[in-house]
């Protein structure tokens, strides 16, 4: 029993690290989505949006074998993120000579309402969640069974460790997104880099969609290959570092 508990503890640590890595890029998307709201509503939108996402993740664990068949979910998420990235970068370029306060006022007027923003945060997390949940299932099912009951076709012990890992991941995403919102408020010129990251995350979802077994335009193992993972994170970090350096220079 002690050996089994140690295995479960180790897998839980792996799941938390995995969720933490996924939360980094996802949190930038969340931050960009709520940035147009008044400051007092930004935290609320993240809380409500990610609370709904947590409920979805819990429910989806019961039906993950069904959800995985719908590649359209990630395709819609990819299309939305690419559109949002392109449109906002265009708007930023178009209005770059406007006074900052005037630009903020226009952005606030054009932005979504509070509850629509909450819904968008939830939908974005749903698109992100499927891949992270599949990875969690693949890791958890290697564990020995713990207990004599099943939940959603998965052993109760395995289900529990996935649920805890997902819960911790959502909390990490919420605080990471809140930190990114603060950074974007402190360095407004980082917005372009943030929207470039949003677009790059959209490309990530495109790759996942193309590698889906029902699409088959890319090998199924490609999205999780070392080459793609290194490419994704190197490009993301390069965008973030470049945006930060430009932001610091402009602030000076």
């Amino acid at each position: 029993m002690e050996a089994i508990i140690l295995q479960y503890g180790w897998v839980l640590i792996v799941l938390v690290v995995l969720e933490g890595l996924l939360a980094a890029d996802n949190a930038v998307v969340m931050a960009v989505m709520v940035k147009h709201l008044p400051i007092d509503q930004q935290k609320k939108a993240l809380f409500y949006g990610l609370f709904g996402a947590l409920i979805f993740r819990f429910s989806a664990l019961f039906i993950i074998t069904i959800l995985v068949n719908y590649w359209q979910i990630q395709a819609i998420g990819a299309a939305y993120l690419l559109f949002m990235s392109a449109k906002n970068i265009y708007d930023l370029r178009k209005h770059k000579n406007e006074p900052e306060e005037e630009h903020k006022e226009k952005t606030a007027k054009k932005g979504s309402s509070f509850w629509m923003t909450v819904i968008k945060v939830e939908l974005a997390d749903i698109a992100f969640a499927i891949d992270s949940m599949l990875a969690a299932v693949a890791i958890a099912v290697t564990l020995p069974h713990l207990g004599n009951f099943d939940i959603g076709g998965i052993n109760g012990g395995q289900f529990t460790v996935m649920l805890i890992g997902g819960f911790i991941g959502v909390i990490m995403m919420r605080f990471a997104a809140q930190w990114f919102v603060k950074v974007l408020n402190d360095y407004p010129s980082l917005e372009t880099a943030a929207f470039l990251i949003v677009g790059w995350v959209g490309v990530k979802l495109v790759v996942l969609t193309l590698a889906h077994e029902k699409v088959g335009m890319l090998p199924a193992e490609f999205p999780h290959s070392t080459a793609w993972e290194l490419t994704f994170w190197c490009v993301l970090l390069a965008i973030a570092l470049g945006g930060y350096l430009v932001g610091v220079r402009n602030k000076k």
Side-chain angles (χ1 to χ4, degrees):
M1 179 59 71
E2 289 181 359
I4 291 176
I5 296 298
L6 283 174
Q7 288 183 57
Y8 269 79
W10 170 246
V11 166
L12 180 59
I13 292 171
V14 171
L15 288 178
V16 170
V17 171
L18 173 66
E19 290 285 352
L21 289 172
L22 293 171
D25 56 329
N26 298 359
V28 177
V29 176
M30 305 299 179
V32 167
M33 284 182 169
V34 304
K35 187 179 181 297
H36 68 277
L37 295 172
I39 293 176
D40 61 322
Q41 291 185 4
Q42 290 173 355
K43 291 182 181 180
K44 290 181 181 179
L46 287 174
F47 174 78
Y48 290 133
L50 293 176
F51 181 74
L54 180 63
I55 294 174
F56 165 79
R57 289 191 181 211
F58 175 75
S59 305
L61 283 174
F62 293 94
I63 55 173
I64 187 62
T65 54
I66 298 173
L67 281 176
V68 70
N69 293 319
Y70 292 96
W71 58 268
Q72 294 90 342
I73 295 174
Q74 288 178 327
I76 292 170
Y80 175 70
L81 293 185
L82 290 171
F83 168 77
M84 183 172 71
S85 173
K87 181 181 182 302
N88 282 281
I89 288 175
Y90 171 77
D91 287 344
L92 286 172
R93 297 295 94 189
K94 183 179 177 182
H95 302 293
K96 67 178 181 179
N97 294 323
E98 289 181 352
E100 186 178 325
E101 290 304 317
E102 185 179 336
H103 175 63
K104 282 185 177 180
E105 187 177 343
K106 284 186 178 180
T107 303
K109 286 180 180 178
K110 288 168 62 179
S112 304
S113 67
F114 175 79
W115 287 110
M116 182 56 68
T117 300
V118 170
I119 292 171
K120 286 181 179 180
V121 170
E122 291 190 9
L123 292 177
D125 185 73
I126 288 171
F128 296 136
I130 295 176
D131 184 54
S132 64
M133 289 172 63
L134 286 175
V137 170
I139 294 171
V141 294
T142 63
L143 288 167
H145 286 198
L146 189 62
N148 298 318
F149 64 98
D150 290 344
I151 302 175
I154 302 172
N155 172 260
Q158 297 170 345
F159 182 93
T160 301
V161 78
M162 284 190 294
L163 181 62
I164 295 172
F167 178 73
I168 294 173
V170 170
I171 292 175
M172 291 169 68
M173 194 185 304
R174 194 265 186 190
F175 285 104
Q178 190 175 318
W179 181 78
F180 280 123
V181 169
K182 183 179 183 302
V183 171
L184 289 174
N185 285 329
D186 290 343
Y187 297 92
S189 56
L190 274 174
E191 276 193 86
T192 300
F195 284 118
L196 284 172
I197 290 174
V198 169
W200 185 233
V201 175
V203 172
K204 177 184 178 182
L205 289 181
V206 169
V207 169
L208 287 168
T209 302
L210 295 179
H212 193 280
E213 61 179 10
K214 290 191 175 180
V215 179
M217 295 182 70
L218 287 174
E221 65 277 4
F222 178 75
H224 305 289
S225 65
T226 303
W228 167 245
E229 291 284 357
L230 281 174
T231 300
F232 175 78
W233 284 105
C234 285
V235 172
L236 188 147
L237 290 173
I239 295 171
L241 180 60
Y244 173 75
L245 293 175
V246 171
V248 170
R249 184 193 66 188
N250 289 346
K251 193 165 186 176
K252 285 182 178 179

